[in-house]
Amino acid sequence: MSLNPRLVKESFAVIEPVADKAAAYFYGRLFAENPHLRGMFPPAMDVQRDRLFHALARIVWSIDSPDGLAPFLGRLGRDHRKYGVLPEHYTVIGNALLATVKRFAAEIWTAEVEAAWSAAYAAASGMMIEAAEAEAGVTPAWWTAEVVDHERRTPDIAVITLRPGQRLPYLPGQYVNVQTPRWPRVWRTFSIANAPRPDNIVRLHVRAVPGGWVSTALVEHTRIGDTLTLGPPVGAMTPADSGRDLLCVAGGTGLAPLKAIVEHVIASGRRPNIHLLHGARHSRDLYDLPDLIRMESSFPWLRVLPVVSDEPGYDGMRGRVPEVVERFRSWAGHDVYVCGPAGMVDETVRRLRRTGVPPADIHRDVALSEF
């Protein structure tokens, strides 16, 4: 079978406007033909359906750029190990996918389109299987971790300290999927808030959001001595180690990965100037400020700048973080790290680029503890 990206993209474009219906049909078909697979998925499928379609869209629109697609597929394959996905599962998943595309792109479906999708799926699933098999026997599919501390910093934010039973290899700035006993098979991502340590301790900053199953369980119902399950660390917003000065811009719990990066730089023995801006709506939401001040006092090259947007009486820097970043100074020549709510990250990056910071110098991520 030969790969034909054009036919795959043209047929997928027909499905995109009805993505919700197509994703629901896919899982309905998959579970009807393979009911034993239902237990591998969470009770509520809304988030799962969204993730499926977003991943499929990324694969389809990047299918003719294999160098960029391969790392993404490799990460998916390795990550799917924590669900118990085996090579034989890819066959039945592929059958359900082709049936879904055939149904929702019926007006342009031909033998050539079917062959194009079969070739594309075989290539993509092959890379995922290969990545998963290469990881098997080298690292666990998941880690169990004991909760050794749980600090309720605000009514909706907790700092949770974990000790994995096995060493968890990760880089500063990465994140992990977390599963709680309260919600089996429901995984949500949270950034690791500390650099790797000899004692293997991992710290998470978690904000409980309305309707958030895992985040609420972690903030309100998790106790010292509980056990959580962690997936393999992932994420590309890791330290550049270029030797240049750093600007770190955090909104809310987007502070977590940036704090890990700052810790890593301090531990490296280098002495760059570091500006860390942490934005919140109210001063009470600056949940980690005492610890940041301790870091600042022990590392003279670090300057911590808390920013509050919605508290007129706040005796400190006020305003929205993207505006403060732009008006503060020129950041050209810095390695810049930005993490927080998606809108805040997008606007901060736009303003940084407008003031002359090259895109290659900006490392960005969206705060992950949203569910």
Side-chain angles (χ1 to χ4, degrees):
M1 292 183 292
S2 60
L3 192 61
N4 190 324
R6 179 182 61 84
L7 291 179
V8 173
K9 291 181 180 183
E10 287 177 353
S11 50
F12 185 72
V14 175
I15 300 173
E16 277 192 306
V18 290
D20 290 345
K21 291 181 179 178
Y25 179 86
F26 166 80
Y27 281 112
R29 178 97 180 210
L30 179 66
F31 296 150
E33 295 179 351
N34 309 274
H36 62 287
L37 295 183
R38 183 63 183 90
M40 297 171 64
F41 292 85
M45 292 292 294
D46 293 357
V47 173
Q48 185 68 31
R49 286 194 290 266
D50 289 344
R51 289 180 172 175
L52 164 75
F53 204 82
H54 289 154
L56 184 59
R58 178 167 177 176
I59 293 169
V60 166
W61 297 119
S62 304
I63 198 169
D64 47 3
S65 303
D67 290 344
L69 185 57
F72 175 69
L73 289 171
R75 180 177 68 79
L76 280 182
R78 292 188 294 271
D79 189 56
H80 285 172
R81 294 175 60 221
K82 71 177 185 289
Y83 298 108
V85 175
L86 301 174
E88 54 264 31
H89 293 142
Y90 285 93
T91 299
V92 297
I93 290 170
N95 292 339
L97 176 63
L98 260 66
T100 301
V101 179
K102 182 177 181 179
R103 177 181 176 88
F104 287 89
E107 66 267 29
I108 63 169
W109 189 259
T110 65
E112 289 76 17
V113 173
E114 182 171 356
W117 273 92
S118 296
Y121 183 77
S125 60
M127 284 189 272
M128 294 170 70
I129 292 170
E130 183 179 350
E133 290 180 341
E135 194 91 348
V138 179
T139 60
W142 61 81
W143 286 254
T144 58
E146 180 187 1
V147 178
V148 296
D149 197 17
H150 185 285
E151 298 179 65
R152 194 80 172 264
R153 297 283 180 85
T154 75
D156 62 348
I157 296 177
V159 173
I160 303 172
T161 305
L162 308 173
R163 181 182 290 116
Q166 296 176 265
R167 175 151 295 280
L168 180 72
Y170 69 94
L171 298 174
Q174 289 192 306
Y175 54 88
V176 289
N177 281 275
V178 179
Q179 178 184 250
T180 76
R182 195 178 185 90
W183 295 110
R185 305 187 308 280
V186 180
W187 297 82
R188 294 295 182 264
T189 48
F190 299 91
S191 292
I192 300 173
N194 60 286
R197 292 171 39 168
D199 61 5
N200 200 31
I201 287 296
V202 171
R203 189 164 286 122
L204 307 178
H205 295 181
V206 182
R207 180 189 297 275
V209 298
W213 293 9
V214 176
S215 64
T216 300
L218 289 174
V219 172
E220 298 184 3
H221 305 292
T222 299
R223 301 291 182 265
I224 294 173
D226 288 352
T227 298
L228 305 179
T229 306
L230 310 179
V234 290
M237 193 184 69
T238 54
D241 288 340
S242 66
R244 297 192 298 179
D245 291 342
L246 275 68
L247 168 65
C248 298
V249 186
T253 53
L255 172 66
L258 305 188
K259 188 178 181 184
I261 289 171
V262 171
E263 281 190 6
H264 164 79
V265 172
I266 293 174
S268 72
R270 295 192 293 111
R271 297 293 181 264
N273 293 308
I274 305 173
H275 286 80
L276 171 59
L277 277 70
H278 184 206
R281 292 184 181 277
H282 302 93
S283 57
R284 63 177 178 271
D285 298 321
L286 296 169
Y287 64 92
D288 206 39
L289 190 55
D291 201 37
L292 294 179
I293 292 173
R294 282 193 293 271
M295 289 175 64
E296 184 179 42
S297 65
S298 63
F299 188 77
W301 295 269
L302 170 64
R303 184 179 180 190
V304 174
L305 301 168
V307 181
V308 170
S309 62
D310 295 356
E311 188 176 323
Y314 176 65
D315 185 20
M317 190 169 294
R318 297 197 302 271
R320 296 170 59 248
V321 168
E323 297 167 353
V324 172
V325 168
E326 186 176 27
R327 74 177 185 236
F328 193 77
R329 57 174 290 176
S330 171
W331 300 106
H334 287 64
D335 286 323
V336 181
Y337 300 87
V338 186
C339 188
M344 167 258 167
V345 170
D346 289 343
E347 186 178 351
T348 300
V349 170
R350 281 196 301 270
R351 289 173 180 263
L352 286 166
R353 293 185 62 181
R354 190 166 67 194
T355 57
V357 180
D361 293 346
I362 302 174
H363 312 270
R364 56 180 291 168
D365 212 340
V366 173
L368 297 161
S369 50
E370 299 175 351
F371 299 100

